[in-house]
Structures are given as structure tokens and as C-alpha cells.
Amino acid sequence: MGKKKGKSLLVFHGRNSTTAQNLLECKFLLDDFHVFAVDTIGHPGKSAEVCLSPNNYDYGIWVSDIITALGYDKMLCFGGSFGGGILSKTMCVSPEKIEKAVLLVPAGIKNAPAYKLLNMLFPMIMYWITKKETWLLKCILPMAISEKNIASDTYETAKCSIDHVKIKAGMPSDVNPEDMKNYKASTLVMAAEKDCLFPADLVLPQAKKIIADCTVYLITERGHMHYLTEAEKRMIVDFLHDN
């Protein structure tokens, strides 16, 4: 969808979500790019239910296959959260397939220690037991910081996934820096200051260290779930447009 005569852009959504929901957040890209948005394999949506391991490079191989099947040698790429982790894996196994990339609050660069997420586990268990939405909100809040950052469509997608599909708990593991050494494409990495999953103070220095041509941006005073400003959206569009 999007601008059919624009440059082609491959977009990946977050964990336990769908492309349909993700495109609501990415609609600022549609005026400028011909967007190809796929449902991640093994996650909710219309892709195959076969699950890939987030701990190896299977997702990178999958993306490489997608780009080839679409008829491209390489593509512009955009991925948020789990989708950013998918792209980080692709950078390692098929660096030549990525023309330029934007990673938004991405997994796979420098994830927070697992114990940091324990405050989300108990509310999730209580929601499964009681089905009371107050517990679901408590589970989501550590990622959003404030209820105002939880868009209604994001909340409903999360609820549908938790209620009706097998939740995927694991995030793409951190890539081995050595495996990134052949990746040379220009990359914009945007991380949030208060992100409990992939905090900016871990992600941005590591991104600069392991990605040869890397621009980093701090999303200030926001968490993993947030709203981008109009200036930030424009920055992403301009970055992808620049030769």
C-alpha cells in the first residue's frame, strides 16, 4: 500500500502484533513510500504459524527470502521493537539485502536484563486467571509509562493476542558484533529513554559500536510504547529518502 510510484519500503511489526495494527502507527510513511508490510511468521496475522527461534538468525534468513521473493535485490527497511530485532538479524546474515534501515526501539542490539521485566509477569498471570482488564493494564503500563501513551488500537490488539493466540515471550537476542561487520548500509537507530525492554542508554552506544554507518536518536522522556512527534516522523522519512 502507500505511494505506488514511491521507493519500496519493507516494514515489520512488533511482538504478538499484526501488520494491520502496525500500519496505523506507520501511516506517516504511506505518502512517501510503496510499503510492503508482512505479518511476522509464527505471530498473529496471516503468515504461517510456524515459529522461528528468536535466539539464532532464522528471522534474518526469512527476511532475505522475502526480499528475493518480492523481486528485489535490496530494499529500504523499517522495523519497530521485535521488528527491529528481525532486521538486526538480517543485517548479520544478508547485509547486502538492506539498502537503508530504520530501527525504532529495537530488540537485538542491547536488550535489558530479563529480571527487569518481572514486574510485567505477575499482572499478566493475574489477567490470565481473572480476565480483569485492570491486570492487563498493569502489565502494559511499564512499557507505556502513562496510560495516555497506550493507543486504543494498540490496547485492543494486545488484548486480542493475549486472549486468542499463544503468546511469544522471547525477544530477538542480541546479535554478535562480529556478525555485523559486513553490514555497511546507513542505519537510523531510535531508542527511548525510559524503555524497560531496550533502554536507550544500552541500545544507542552499542548501535554506534557495531553498525558502521549509524545515526542514533534519543526519544526523550518516553518509554517503549509512545507517540512520535511530527518532527521525528519527518526525520524518519527524510532519512529514508536521502541518497
Side-chain angles (χ1 to χ4, degrees):
M1 62 189 304
K3 185 178 180 181
K4 294 298 178 67
K5 293 185 179 181
K7 292 201 71 173
S8 296
L9 174 65
L10 185 58
V11 174
F12 294 95
H13 61 77
R15 178 179 60 171
N16 299 308
S17 185
T18 66
T19 271
Q21 190 277 327
N22 190 46
L23 282 172
L24 291 172
E25 299 179 10
C26 296
K27 60 185 178 181
F28 68 94
L29 298 169
L30 301 180
D31 288 338
D32 292 84
F33 302 101
H34 187 194
V35 173
F36 291 80
V38 298
D39 284 323
T40 297
I41 190 170
H43 285 241
K46 295 187 176 182
S47 286
E49 296 182 12
V50 177
C51 293
L52 302 180
S53 172
N55 298 318
N56 57 26
Y57 291 116
D58 284 354
Y59 275 111
I61 297 169
W62 175 66
V63 173
S64 181
D65 289 344
I66 289 172
I67 293 173
T68 298
L70 289 172
Y72 291 89
D73 293 325
K74 58 183 178 179
M75 295 182 74
L76 299 176
C77 295
F78 177 94
S81 190
F82 195 105
I86 288 174
L87 289 179
S88 70
K89 303 288 187 173
T90 311
M91 293 171 181
C92 294
V93 299
S94 295
E96 75 285 354
K97 294 288 188 74
I98 299 177
E99 181 177 349
K100 187 179 278 191
V102 175
L103 308 183
L104 177 64
V105 291
I109 302 296
K110 192 70 172 178
N111 301 347
Y115 73 86
K116 296 276 190 179
L117 311 181
L118 291 178
N119 62 340
M120 298 168 61
L121 179 60
F122 178 73
M124 174 67 75
I125 293 171
M126 290 303 298
Y127 175 69
W128 280 332
I129 294 172
T130 67
K131 294 302 180 183
K132 292 183 179 180
E133 293 194 25
T134 52
W135 286 113
L136 178 58
L137 186 61
K138 288 180 180 180
C139 176
I140 296 173
L141 270 175
M143 293 187 289
I145 309 300
S146 168
E147 287 188 37
K148 68 181 181 180
N149 292 320
I150 306 175
S152 59
D153 56 86
T154 302
Y155 179 84
E156 290 302 322
T157 299
K159 185 177 184 303
C160 284
S161 293
I162 292 168
D163 287 346
H164 301 295
V165 304
K166 185 177 180 180
I167 293 298
K168 311 301 183 295
M171 282 288 190
S173 59
D174 294 345
V175 298
N176 185 332
E178 279 297 304
D179 296 331
M180 191 73 84
K181 63 184 180 182
N182 293 323
Y183 178 72
K184 306 300 181 185
S186 295
T187 301
L188 172 62
V189 179
M190 305 174 72
E193 184 176 13
K194 297 182 178 181
D195 192 337
C196 62
L197 300 176
F198 320 115
D201 62 347
L202 297 181
V203 171
L204 298 185
Q206 182 72 352
K208 289 289 286 184
K209 181 179 178 180
I210 68 176
I211 299 175
D213 184 359
C214 185
T215 301
V216 297
Y217 178 82
L218 175 64
I219 301 172
T220 58
E221 294 297 318
R222 280 161 283 175
H224 189 70
M225 296 173 65
H226 59 269
Y227 291 98
L228 293 173
T229 66
E230 291 305 311
E232 289 164 345
K233 293 175 183 177
R234 189 72 249 167
M235 179 179 65
I236 292 170
V237 170
D238 289 346
F239 178 85
L240 290 169
H241 269 309
D242 287 342
N243 295 322

